[in-house]
Amino acid sequence: MKCSKCGLELWEDRRQAQEPPFAGQLANRIPGYPGTIGLRVRVRMLSPTSRPTLDLTGKNHPLAKEQQQGITGARLPGILSSYLH
């Protein structure tokens, strides 16, 4: 392990899950949600064969609320339609 500040340095390290979570930002627009580029996240590395987990740190953004509380069945068609159209 080299650095707890940079996930790229840990990407292939089998001990990456031992590192503490670190700060990051979303770099993509997520359909169905306003302004996701730049949202702050906490990144947790799991293993070289697993994608890291991202926990949004803000509480007020709709994506953060749904990540923390889940979505309703009524919300699902709206999310899916963002990807199908």
Side-chain angles (χ1 to χ4, degrees), residues 4 6 14-15 26 30 32 39 50 52 60 64 73 76 80 83 85:
S4 63
C6 179
R14 67 182 187 279
R15 300 168 297 161
L26 290 184
I30 299 176
L39 285 178
S50 300
N60 295 324
L76 185 58
L80 292 177
Y83 288 92
H85 293 113

Side-chain angles (χ1 to χ4, degrees), residues 5-43:
K5 295 181 181 177
C6 179
L8 290 177
E9 293 178 9
L10 298 170
W11 193 252
E12 294 183 8
D13 191 323
R14 67 182 187 279
R15 300 168 297 161
Q16 63 180 243
Q18 297 170 11
E19 284 290 307
F22 54 91
Q25 293 182 336
L26 290 184
N28 298 76
R29 187 180 76 75
I30 299 176
Y33 295 95
T36 57
I37 295 175
L39 285 178
R40 296 178 187 268
V41 297
R42 182 169 310 279
V43 181

Side-chain angles (χ1 to χ4, degrees), residues 13-82:
D13 191 323
R14 67 182 187 279
R15 300 168 297 161
Q16 63 180 243
Q18 297 170 11
E19 284 290 307
F22 54 91
Q25 293 182 336
L26 290 184
N28 298 76
R29 187 180 76 75
I30 299 176
Y33 295 95
T36 57
I37 295 175
L39 285 178
R40 296 178 187 268
V41 297
R42 182 169 310 279
V43 181
R44 287 184 286 159
M45 305 293 282
L46 302 173
S47 79
T49 58
S50 300
R51 292 184 178 130
T53 62
L54 306 176
D55 297 315
L56 286 128
T57 58
K59 306 284 185 213
N60 295 324
H61 192 278
L63 181 58
K65 288 179 183 178
E66 290 182 352
Q67 183 184 42
Q68 294 162 12
Q69 301 168 5
I71 62 169
T72 65
R75 173 78 173 105
L76 185 58
I79 294 171
L80 292 177
S81 70
S82 297

